[in-house]
Amino acid sequence: MPTQVIVLNGGSSSGKSGIIRCLQAILPDPWLATGVDRLIEAMPATRRSPESIELAADGTVIVGPEFDRLQEAWMAGVAATAGAGARVIIDDVFLGGAGSQQRWRAVLDGLDVRWVGVRCDAEVAAGREIARGDRIRGMAVAQADMVHRGVVYDLEVDTTHTESIRCAHMIVARL
Amino acid sequence: MPTQVIVLNGGSSSGKSGIIRCLQAILPDPWLATGVDRLIEAMPATRRSPESIELAADGTVIVGPEFDRLQEAWMAGVAATAGAGARVIIDDVFLGGAGSQQRWRAVLDGLDVRWVGVRCDAEVAAGREIARGDRIRGMAVAQADMVHRGVVYDLEVDTTHTESIRCAHMIVARL
Amino acid sequence: MPTQVIVLNGGSSSGKSGIIRCLQAILPDPWLATGVDRLIEAMPATRRSPESIELAADGTVIVGPEFDRLQEAWMAGVAATAGAGARVIIDDVFLGGAGSQQRWRAVLDGLDVRWVGVRCDAEVAAGREIARGDRIRGMAVAQADMVHRGVVYDLEVDTTHTESIRCAHMIVARL
Amino acid sequence: MPTQVIVLNGGSSSGKSGIIRCLQAILPDPWLATGVDRLIEAMPATRRSPESIELAADGTVIVGPEFDRLQEAWMAGVAATAGAGARVIIDDVFLGGAGSQQRWRAVLDGLDVRWVGVRCDAEVAAGREIARGDRIRGMAVAQADMVHRGVVYDLEVDTTHTESIRCAHMIVARL
């Protein structure tokens, strides 16, 4: 059975989005891309902080029960899209480490999934956060290691010294 | 049972997005917003035209079999998100008129859905298309009536002379 | 001598940008569009608030001495572009009313300028602010009347009941 | 006299924008950032191609006389902004090589300018072009060497193996 879902997990500014655009460009079939940023955009503008998700000034992210509930439903939708025959690439930030992976495992049960860890040296990611200009400073460092705790991967890539396109080719070689 | 899904159908530049942001702002619970533009963004950049969706120079849209297949899977995902407990507002452009509604009906079966038609005088929509600046000219006029053919609504709003926020309040009054 | 500069002044969400895109579309010659939002984007991301410009939670805007100094230099640049032969449409929010106009008058001295006031009923503008979704609530109401105090116009348009494209045609008729 | 203008020249996807955001973040004073992309955005949507600038399918750029004239006026404006006391970072793509630099030299006459060449291996830039997803394929390769022909720099940086933030620190060290 061909791979139906690719999950990329990595901290903020680790390079997930660039890799995904490369994957979509080099994979022969069309893959849909989605991720937690798309969920946040789908939420009411006024709910993007207080009760739901909160981006503290130091870059830490606090997630509330309302966000959790919507995220759970959104995850079910992503799984259903894949189950209905569309190949899907998901990018996420496993703030809960192994626990976050467990939630996805439950929801993606029965689908053929590849788990990819996207690592980047914390200092380099912090520099890229500045170069992007639109990110809250501190997220890259705060999340660099945390999101990988206890997570099990089929493959890990490291963008510190490897370009997005090469990381994408390494992932494709493992499908 | 409370409404779980609101579907807004209307031509390009008829004012759907503005109404949705108002709905999200005034509804007491958080509703997720999605729509066909999100599906197109999820597709590979290189697939956004040829085989899948094509935006002709005169504003007509040609949809191919590959786009159809991905859209079907994406629709199943949206339905699953609503089925899993998240309230969802969908905006779509029913290029197939009644046939497009039938596809959504099948996929949303079992959910409590409100169907809302968003109308706008073709000439006014054409002017707003120019004011937006980032749309292909001609889509507003080409789609203004076409997308409503044979579609059955719970409520219709007309943005020609009514502001988005008022349209949103009219929709909320009917939930 | 043909008009070289059009200045549009109006509060937040009064509809300036839409009118400008329409003006650029219907005017036979190419006009460059610029405005205070472009200046803010040109500033360092980290300077977009504290010392320079501050968007208070209630939508009021506090402008500091550093912002003033950069704005003055930017205004000189816009005037020089027009002086060098490019026709320019400027949109601004005259937080200082007549004083803001005086600053532009000084800098645009010697150029043929048309002053256009863009009005919108405060309540309607507040609704459009919600429909845009990316604006701080309260700016539309706070600025609706304030920015026009003591300002002298060649022409005023009101977007409350008039579409952007019609406002643009009214402005073109007066060039 | 302190440096008043920094000009960064490099091909598409060579990394200019990231370096500029880093420069703005680390320089103690506020610097305004502008560049040819801002000029293109200022032009009428309908003029962004035919008579003015044309992006061919293979990534080559054809610039017409109308674009030239507007660019000349815009350059005069940028110089006037710097002359009026705002420090300015300009990013450009010297499609005319030494000739493009000569145009800027003439316009920036009397100001203290630092010329920075931003290089990137063509193949690496092509990969980053794919990772960005919103660029026409082929521009990175087509421009990689061409834009540097005959241009004289105070400093050259190479983003092939050096992060934006490090390049920015190298530039600051030379002011």
Side-chain angles (χ1 to χ4, degrees):
Chain A
M1 185 170 60
T3 303
Q4 297 165 293
V5 177
I6 303 173
V7 180
L8 272 75
N9 173 46
S12 183
S13 291
S14 63
K16 300 181 297 295
S17 302
I19 294 173
I20 289 175
R21 284 189 286 262
C22 289
L23 282 170
Q24 290 188 296
I26 65 179
L27 284 162
D29 291 315
W31 287 66
L32 296 179
T34 190
V36 68
D37 284 351
R38 300 294 84 69
L39 167 63
I40 292 171
E41 287 168 11
M43 296 182 64
T46 48
R47 298 292 179 116
R48 275 175 213 150
S49 23
E51 298 107 294
S52 5
I53 190 168
E54 194 163 340
L55 297 168
D58 69 349
T60 55
V61 179
I62 307 135
V63 173
E66 185 176 85
F67 184 84
D68 260 17
R69 199 176 56 75
L70 292 170
Q71 186 172 30
E72 198 78 37
W74 169 78
M75 289 164 73
V78 174
T81 295
R87 293 169 160 203
V88 181
I89 308 172
I90 302 162
D91 79 281
D92 203 355
V93 181
F94 288 181
L95 296 174
S100 301
Q101 185 174 33
Q102 192 41 50
R103 281 177 82 187
W104 273 117
R105 267 195 209 287
V107 113
L108 296 172
D109 188 44
L111 295 166
D112 190 68
V113 183
R114 285 292 175 284
W115 301 91
V116 180
V118 181
R119 291 189 180 268
C120 181
D121 174 81
E123 198 190 339
V124 169
R128 293 180 187 170
E129 188 173 64
I130 295 171
R132 294 171 77 173
D134 60 346
R135 307 286 145 154
I136 293 175
R137 298 268 198 98
M139 291 183 76
V141 166
Q143 300 175 353
D145 294 318
M146 184 181 82
V147 301
H148 297 290
R149 282 188 198 143
V151 181
V152 181
Y153 297 113
D154 293 302
L155 173 69
E156 290 185 59
V157 294
D158 189 324
T159 67
T160 312
H161 300 295
T162 311
E163 296 289 317
S164 302
I165 188 74
R166 273 218 50 195
C167 293
H169 279 293
M170 290 164 66
I171 295 167
V172 171
R174 294 286 286 271
L175 293 185
Chain B
M1 186 170 60
T3 302
Q4 296 165 292
V5 177
I6 303 172
V7 180
L8 272 75
N9 174 47
S12 183
S13 290
S14 64
K16 300 181 296 297
S17 301
I19 295 174
I20 289 176
R21 284 189 286 264
C22 288
L23 281 171
Q24 289 188 296
I26 65 179
L27 284 162
D29 291 315
W31 287 66
L32 296 180
T34 190
V36 69
D37 284 351
R38 299 296 83 71
L39 168 63
I40 291 170
E41 288 168 10
M43 295 182 65
T46 49
R47 299 289 179 118
R48 275 175 213 150
S49 23
E51 300 106 295
S52 4
I53 190 168
E54 196 165 338
L55 296 168
D58 69 348
T60 55
V61 178
I62 305 133
V63 172
E66 185 175 84
F67 184 83
D68 260 17
R69 200 176 54 76
L70 291 171
Q71 187 173 31
E72 198 78 38
W74 167 77
M75 289 164 74
V78 174
T81 295
R87 294 169 159 200
V88 181
I89 307 172
I90 301 163
D91 78 282
D92 204 354
V93 182
F94 287 0
L95 296 175
S100 301
Q101 185 174 34
Q102 192 41 48
R103 279 177 84 188
W104 274 115
R105 268 197 210 286
V107 113
L108 296 173
D109 187 46
L111 295 166
D112 190 69
V113 183
R114 284 292 176 284
W115 301 91
V116 180
V118 181
R119 292 189 179 268
C120 181
D121 174 82
E123 197 190 341
V124 169
R128 292 179 188 170
E129 190 172 62
I130 296 171
R132 292 170 79 173
D134 60 347
R135 306 286 146 154
I136 293 175
R137 299 267 196 98
M139 292 184 76
V141 166
Q143 301 176 352
D145 293 318
M146 184 180 81
V147 301
H148 298 290
R149 281 186 200 145
V151 182
V152 181
Y153 297 113
D154 293 301
L155 172 68
E156 290 185 60
V157 294
D158 189 323
T159 67
T160 312
H161 300 294
T162 311
E163 296 287 317
S164 302
I165 188 76
R166 272 218 51 196
C167 293
H169 278 293
M170 290 164 66
I171 295 167
V172 171
R174 293 287 285 271
L175 293 185
Chain C
M1 185 170 58
T3 302
Q4 297 165 292
V5 177
I6 303 172
V7 180
L8 272 75
N9 174 47
S12 183
S13 291
S14 63
K16 300 180 296 296
S17 301
I19 294 173
I20 289 176
R21 284 188 288 262
C22 290
L23 282 171
Q24 290 188 296
I26 65 179
L27 283 163
D29 291 315
W31 287 66
L32 296 179
T34 189
V36 68
D37 285 351
R38 299 295 83 71
L39 167 63
I40 292 170
E41 287 168 12
M43 295 181 65
T46 49
R47 298 291 179 116
R48 274 175 213 149
S49 23
E51 297 108 295
S52 6
I53 190 167
E54 195 164 340
L55 296 168
D58 70 348
T60 54
V61 179
I62 306 134
V63 173
E66 185 176 85
F67 184 84
D68 259 17
R69 199 176 55 75
L70 291 170
Q71 187 173 30
E72 198 78 37
W74 167 78
M75 289 164 73
V78 174
T81 295
R87 292 169 160 203
V88 181
I89 308 172
I90 301 163
D91 78 281
D92 204 354
V93 181
F94 288 0
L95 296 174
S100 302
Q101 186 175 32
Q102 192 40 51
R103 281 177 83 187
W104 272 117
R105 267 195 209 285
V107 113
L108 297 172
D109 188 45
L111 296 166
D112 190 67
V113 182
R114 284 293 175 285
W115 301 91
V116 180
V118 181
R119 292 189 180 268
C120 181
D121 174 82
E123 198 190 338
V124 169
R128 292 180 188 170
E129 188 173 64
I130 296 171
R132 293 171 78 173
D134 61 346
R135 306 285 145 154
I136 294 175
R137 299 268 198 98
M139 291 182 77
V141 166
Q143 301 176 351
D145 294 318
M146 184 180 81
V147 301
H148 298 290
R149 281 187 200 145
V151 182
V152 181
Y153 297 113
D154 294 301
L155 173 68
E156 290 185 59
V157 294
D158 189 324
T159 67
T160 312
H161 300 295
T162 311
E163 295 288 317
S164 302
I165 187 74
R166 273 218 51 195
C167 293
H169 279 293
M170 291 164 66
I171 295 167
V172 170
R174 294 287 285 272
L175 293 185
Chain D
M1 184 170 62
T3 302
Q4 296 165 292
V5 177
I6 303 173
V7 180
L8 273 74
N9 174 47
S12 183
S13 291
S14 64
K16 299 181 297 296
S17 301
I19 294 173
I20 289 175
R21 284 189 287 263
C22 289
L23 282 170
Q24 289 188 297
I26 66 179
L27 284 162
D29 290 316
W31 286 66
L32 296 180
T34 189
V36 68
D37 284 352
R38 298 297 82 70
L39 167 63
I40 292 171
E41 288 168 11
M43 295 181 64
T46 48
R47 297 291 178 117
R48 274 174 213 150
S49 24
E51 299 107 296
S52 6
I53 191 168
E54 194 164 340
L55 296 168
D58 69 348
T60 55
V61 179
I62 305 134
V63 172
E66 185 175 84
F67 184 83
D68 260 18
R69 201 177 54 75
L70 292 170
Q71 187 173 29
E72 199 77 38
W74 168 78
M75 288 164 74
V78 174
T81 295
R87 294 170 159 201
V88 181
I89 308 173
I90 301 162
D91 77 282
D92 203 354
V93 181
F94 288 1
L95 295 174
S100 301
Q101 185 174 32
Q102 192 41 49
R103 281 177 83 188
W104 274 115
R105 267 196 212 286
V107 113
L108 297 172
D109 187 45
L111 296 166
D112 190 69
V113 183
R114 284 290 177 284
W115 300 92
V116 180
V118 181
R119 292 190 179 267
C120 182
D121 174 81
E123 197 190 341
V124 169
R128 292 180 188 169
E129 189 173 62
I130 296 172
R132 292 170 80 173
D134 61 346
R135 305 288 146 153
I136 293 175
R137 298 267 197 99
M139 291 184 76
V141 166
Q143 302 175 350
D145 293 318
M146 184 180 81
V147 301
H148 298 290
R149 281 186 199 146
V151 182
V152 180
Y153 297 113
D154 293 301
L155 173 68
E156 291 185 58
V157 295
D158 189 323
T159 67
T160 312
H161 300 294
T162 310
E163 296 288 317
S164 301
I165 188 75
R166 273 218 52 195
C167 294
H169 278 293
M170 290 163 66
I171 296 167
V172 171
R174 294 285 287 271
L175 293 184

